[in-house]
Amino acid sequence: MGIDMKKMREKYAALKNRGGAGKSAFWRPQDGDQTIRLVPTADGDPFKEYWFHYNLGKNNGFLSPKRNFGEDDPLNDFVRSLYNENTEESIKMAKSLSARQRFFAPVIVRGEEEQGVRIWGFGKQVYETILGLVLNPEYGDITDVQSGIDLTINYGKPAGAQFPQTKLTPKRRSTPLFEDTTQIQTALDSVPDFSNVFERKTPAEVQAMLDEFLLGEGDAEGTSSETVKYNNNTTSEVDKAFQELM
């Protein structure tokens, strides 16, 4: 059996999208208006849902073994124990360490088509808005490569708001993803493989991170929610960006 060149191209594109040549697989809207197009996926569901843990010391956000894969999750067990202690401080820490839901979809950004398909991460309210459009018969399949519609995103922090807000407006007219059918196929072939986008931690790796966190934040005699203090300054810039999606 010969080598599957299509799969090889997909693997190469995924590898490049994970950071090669300074290119990021992710896209985040800037302040103001931008136009995007949701790109369909082979499985018929362009919306991917994941649960992430944040704020575990200096570690970046990572996939929850329990919520995503049904695996043992030492951090999830620790969070439950904190809630069971039912003190003000333990509940505060439990909330900061609990897994949080995030949604992702592949998009083409208008005006930046040369950067290819990228992954847009958004929160529950935006997800509900998009699903409302998808289920609205007046719009049909908004991801259709020939008769779908672009979405205008207005992103920014209103006066007095703590976090930026995202407003979506569908275009009035349908348009093809690209005029050139070759470009359409290239885009479809380059949709990132979501199973390879986020690093998956084993329960043992999560336990090691939790142990390091507790040792660093606790005292020499041991740790408990009474002695462990949550240090918000350890949150990375990536995690801060994710938190804005809440």
Side-chain angles (χ1 to χ4, degrees):
M1 179 182 294
I3 192 169
D4 188 328
M5 296 305 297
K6 179 181 178 181
K7 288 185 178 180
M8 296 304 103
R9 285 192 292 269
E10 291 173 349
K11 287 178 179 290
Y12 181 74
L15 179 64
K16 297 290 286 184
N17 282 341
R18 291 188 69 177
K23 181 179 179 182
S24 173
F26 294 90
W27 172 76
R28 181 185 175 194
Q30 303 299 312
D31 288 348
D33 289 342
Q34 293 166 279
T35 302
I36 65 168
R37 179 63 164 268
L38 292 168
V39 180
T41 54
D43 62 2
D45 182 5
F47 309 111
K48 308 304 179 185
E49 173 187 336
Y50 295 99
W51 293 82
F52 290 84
H53 287 296
Y54 302 101
N55 304 321
L56 190 63
K58 296 182 179 180
N59 299 290
N60 290 332
F62 60 93
L63 293 172
S64 166
K66 179 67 173 181
R67 300 301 297 269
N68 293 297
F69 313 111
E71 297 178 346
D72 291 336
D73 187 346
L75 183 53
N76 183 74
D77 295 340
F78 179 63
V79 167
R80 290 175 59 188
S81 71
L82 290 171
Y83 276 119
N84 289 336
E85 288 186 21
N86 199 33
T87 66
E88 181 178 351
E89 188 167 354
S90 69
I91 292 176
K92 179 181 178 181
M93 173 171 278
K95 289 181 178 179
S96 73
L97 296 176
S98 294
R100 302 178 186 181
Q101 192 178 33
R102 297 288 180 262
F103 302 91
F104 302 88
V107 298
I108 288 287
V109 181
R110 295 306 190 192
E112 301 177 8
E113 286 89 348
E114 72 283 354
Q115 297 194 40
V117 179
R118 287 179 281 174
I119 297 173
W120 175 35
F122 44 89
K124 185 177 180 180
Q125 289 185 336
V126 172
Y127 182 48
E128 290 177 345
T129 299
I130 296 175
L131 281 185
L133 294 175
V134 170
L135 297 175
N136 188 333
E138 292 187 8
Y139 295 109
D141 182 358
I142 65 174
T143 71
D144 188 275
V145 296
Q146 294 296 339
S147 59
I149 57 173
D150 291 350
L151 303 175
T152 297
I153 294 178
N154 178 267
Y155 180 83
K157 185 185 296 184
Q162 184 177 7
F163 297 111
Q165 296 180 6
T166 302
K167 296 181 180 179
L168 292 177
T169 304
K171 293 289 188 179
R172 291 174 178 264
R173 298 171 55 185
S174 63
T175 55
L177 178 60
F178 290 104
E179 295 292 342
D180 186 341
T181 56
T182 301
Q183 288 181 287
I184 292 177
Q185 191 58 51
T186 298
L188 295 177
D189 290 342
S190 66
V191 172
D193 181 355
F194 279 84
S195 64
N196 293 327
V197 169
F198 303 109
E199 183 180 2
R200 183 170 174 175
K201 301 291 187 183
T202 66
E205 289 174 324
V206 175
Q207 182 67 65
M209 291 190 296
L210 177 59
D211 291 343
E212 181 180 10
F213 171 73
L214 294 178
L215 287 173
E217 300 294 325
D219 58 24
E221 299 300 322
T223 57
S224 72
S225 64
E226 299 295 327
T227 58
V228 177
K229 306 297 182 181
Y230 167 57
N231 182 2
N232 191 52
N233 292 330
T234 62
T235 306
S236 73
E237 291 301 317
V238 174
D239 294 340
K240 288 178 181 178
F242 273 124
Q243 289 171 359
E244 290 180 356
L245 300 176
M246 292 181 60

